[in-house]
Amino acid sequence: MSHKEFKILSPTAILGYGFPVSSFMRGINQQPDVIAVDAGSVDPGPFYLGHGKSFTDRTGVKRDLQYILKEAIPRGIPVIIGSAGGSGAEPHLQWCRQIVEELAAEENLIFKMGLIAADIQKDLICQAIGAGKVHPLMGIDPLTEQTVAGSSHIVAQMGIEPFIEAIRQNCQVILAGRAYDPAPFAALPVSRGYSPALALHLGKILECAAIAAEPGSGADCVLGILKDDCFILQALSDERRFTRESVAAHSLYEKSDPYCLPGPGGSLDLGRVVFEDIGSGQVRVSGTEFIPANPYTVKLEGARCCGYRTITLAGVRDPIMIQNIDAILTEVRRRTDQLLEKQQISGRLTTHIYGKNGVMGPLEPVRTSSAHEIGILIEAVSDTQPQADTICSIMRSTLLHYGYPGRIATAGNLAFPFSPSDIQTAPVYEFSIYHLMEIKPDDILKLFPVRTVQVQGARL
Amino acid sequence: MKKSILEVAKVIRSKNCSPFELTLDIIFRDQKDYAAVKNDNQINAKRIADLYNVPLSQIHKVIYFDPACAVKICMARPVPSGSPGDSDVYGAQQHAPLLALSIDV
């Protein structure tokens, strides 16, 4: 079956990162068949998933959505957003939905909206564990019911199927929770018969917007043109172009294997992919294959609270102290531990020393630093905030006053930029779940149900 | 002829490929330099393990990717991203030891 071209407009790498209006309008004027955006990532760490907050700024997200919805709705162009709110759990999805509904009221936009949750029920996961259907990814232990119970939010990355169902139900705007990155881009063309391999591969590149162009940018728009046997990438700004090298290099970005990209339902095989420059800053890509997986698996992500944190940031300028910092910190730690034990307070103390090994920690190969100043970040984590406060304050005051051998600057060892010196950070989370769960393809829509709402525009 | 990696690479970077794994990429400017490195397996797990002073078992993969003239290394993060004790949530600043590499072209 042969198709005409299918055009996908990708405005930005993460909803909220922004884009130039000129690039966006250039894309709109090409009459795209869909506008799709990836709104989330696990890159920023476990806090956002664990605590139910967005890592993207509300003003930025609303600004991006305003342009997108104002142009798309009157033109009848579907808008598909995956991993809404940054982490794609229920609070994140609701947060994004509120912004969309606010905009619809302000701009008097009327449309049918699909909402697809990605939260997975804990008892379902426990059942799957019992049946031997949950498998750890690299670097994490096998999943236990205890870990599931202790996790605050658990989502699974949905593939294209729930989006296709929402399209079937005539949703013009689709907001989905956690989704496989290319799924919002690939769903509509696949539902119309285009090659899943090419659509998903195109989606993998488009979800990063102009990052795969030269010079790369996560805040600029690009157009993907899908054909029967290839796809074409087109930058939408005069200062950027796609090249064979820039697109091929993008296959490396943030991935463990550039040849094989696993996802729900199967993997993309890039072993026979051909990248070609076709002039005008456009690149043609062909040869991607899709290898279906049996069983069908989805990636589970979850985070759990592992304590409360208090920090102190301080600088040291005394060269004698800097030269002896390791021995000094060892002795200060010993005294701190002693005092804490007396008070029966326990927790985890870490000192990050910027100017020495603050960035690389145990991996730092440079052993002797000649920095004339260092920054010390004391990090105390404990089961309760008051305990974290106490641990941090004892370490901080001990370090401030410790009379180390050879000291000549006897008035105070630390330069604090702030009063108060000790700062409570938000609760601390860690990734508790990063596993594959086998599911039956027949259960996909039960796992990721589509709800629809009619958005009514301005209230009269 | 021995050359510093800085003379032959246009990109040397690190990033998380998952909350538990770090990926390092070296993209060569010239296909000939890349081919010389690949043919002799000059960038290999042992060399990286020595550079980072970690056990060989922490280096999970070394992959040569011809379409981009690049070599990719995957290794364990010392601490999962964002867990207490972490020093680099995104893993984007762990590439410095690679700058000391020299290769024969």
Side-chain angles (χ1 to χ4, degrees), chain A residues 20-84:
Chain A
V21 184
S22 54
S23 303
F24 182 68
M25 290 314 299
R26 202 184 275 195
I28 288 287
N29 291 334
Q30 293 248 23
Q31 299 178 319
D33 297 285
V34 71
I35 300 174
V37 195
D38 174 18
S41 172
V42 289
D43 271 5
F47 172 78
Y48 303 96
L49 175 61
H51 208 61
K53 295 211 101 133
S54 170
F55 69 83
T56 50
D57 175 68
R58 195 182 203 273
T59 307
V61 170
K62 188 167 179 180
R63 176 258 178 208
D64 286 357
L65 279 172
Q66 183 177 32
Y67 281 109
I68 292 169
L69 294 172
K70 275 185 78 170
E71 299 303 328
I73 303 299
R75 289 179 173 80
I77 304 171
V79 176
I80 304 182
I81 294 163
S83 302

Side-chain angles (χ1 to χ4, degrees), chain B residues 4 7 10 18-19 27-28 35 38 42 45 58 66 94 101:
Chain B
S4 155
E7 292 178 68
K10 61 180 178 184
S18 90
I27 305 178
F28 290 85
K38 180 184 175 186
Q42 294 188 49
Q58 303 263 293
D66 296 349
Q94 304 300 313
L101 278 170

Side-chain angles (χ1 to χ4, degrees), chain A residues 350-362:
Chain A
T350 310
T351 38
H352 309 256
I353 310 170
Y354 291 97
K356 190 172 154 70
N357 63 353
V359 172
M360 294 194 72

Side-chain angles (χ1 to χ4, degrees), chain A residues 251-406:
Chain A
S251 303
L252 300 159
Y253 184 59
E254 296 180 319
K255 299 180 190 69
S256 61
D257 185 342
Y259 289 114
C260 172
L261 310 178
S267 301
L268 292 178
D269 181 345
L270 273 66
R272 274 155 294 283
V273 166
V274 177
F275 304 95
E276 301 167 72
D277 287 304
I278 58 170
S280 313
Q282 299 186 22
V283 167
R284 179 183 190 272
V285 180
S286 56
T288 322
E289 288 161 35
F290 180 74
I291 302 169
N294 189 15
Y296 190 114
T297 59
V298 289
K299 186 193 283 190
L300 297 174
E301 293 165 358
R304 74 176 149 209
C305 182
C306 57
Y308 296 81
R309 177 162 50 204
T310 308
I311 64 170
T312 304
L313 178 64
V316 177
R317 186 60 182 78
D318 181 281
I320 301 166
M321 179 160 175
I322 291 173
Q323 195 160 35
N324 295 289
I325 194 65
D326 287 340
I328 290 168
L329 282 173
T330 303
E331 176 57 19
V332 167
R333 273 300 297 266
R334 195 191 64 76
R335 296 182 182 198
T336 303
D337 289 343
Q338 231 173 25
L339 287 163
L340 291 172
E341 211 184 301
K342 277 203 194 100
Q343 297 192 41
Q344 295 189 307
I345 291 174
S346 66
R348 188 189 170 131
L349 248 183
T350 310
T351 38
H352 309 256
I353 310 170
Y354 291 97
K356 190 172 154 70
N357 63 353
V359 172
M360 294 194 72
L363 295 182
E364 176 58 63
V366 173
R367 291 286 177 230
T368 48
S369 126
S370 54
H372 62 272
E373 70 172 3
I374 57 175
I376 300 182
L377 179 61
I378 299 169
E379 178 194 350
V381 178
S382 189
D383 292 335
T384 67
Q385 194 71 67
Q387 283 185 83
D389 292 346
T390 302
I391 296 169
C392 190
S393 91
I394 291 179
M395 173 95 189
R396 178 254 304 148
S397 67
T398 306
L399 184 57
L400 174 62
H401 295 298
Y402 172 47
Y404 53 89

Side-chain angles (χ1 to χ4, degrees), chain A residues 17 42-46 55 138-140 244-245 248-259 270 273 275 306 309 348 350 352 354 357-363 365 367 379 381 428-434, chain B residues 10 13 15-23 25-27 34 51-54 60-61 63-68 70-72 74-76 78-90 93-97:
Chain A
Y17 278 11
V42 289
D43 271 5
F55 69 83
M138 173 83 69
I140 201 167
R244 203 187 57 79
E245 289 79 22
H250 185 71
S251 303
L252 300 159
Y253 184 59
E254 296 180 319
K255 299 180 190 69
S256 61
D257 185 342
Y259 289 114
L270 273 66
V273 166
F275 304 95
C306 57
R309 177 162 50 204
R348 188 189 170 131
T350 310
H352 309 256
Y354 291 97
N357 63 353
V359 172
M360 294 194 72
L363 295 182
R367 291 286 177 230
E379 178 194 350
V381 178
V428 186
Y429 290 85
E430 59 188 0
F431 283 111
S432 50
I433 303 180
Y434 203 71
Chain B
K10 61 180 178 184
R13 68 185 177 195
K15 188 87 189 281
N16 292 344
C17 55
S18 90
F20 305 92
E21 237 191 335
L22 201 60
T23 186
D25 295 327
I26 302 172
I27 305 178
Y34 166 73
L51 257 183
Y52 280 83
N53 194 26
V54 296
H60 299 151
K61 282 192 252 214
I63 301 172
Y64 283 87
F65 185 59
D66 296 349
V71 61
K72 170 178 282 290
C74 296
M75 59 186 284
V79 172
S81 168
S83 287
D86 189 14
S87 65
D88 187 353
V89 172
Y90 285 73
Q93 282 289 301
Q94 304 300 313
H95 58 290

Side-chain angles (χ1 to χ4, degrees), chain A residues 32-36 72 76-80 167 171-174 188 192:
Chain A
D33 297 285
V34 71
I35 300 174
I77 304 171
V79 176
I80 304 182
I167 290 159
C171 296
Q172 199 184 350
V173 174
I174 302 171
L188 186 46
R192 295 204 187 149

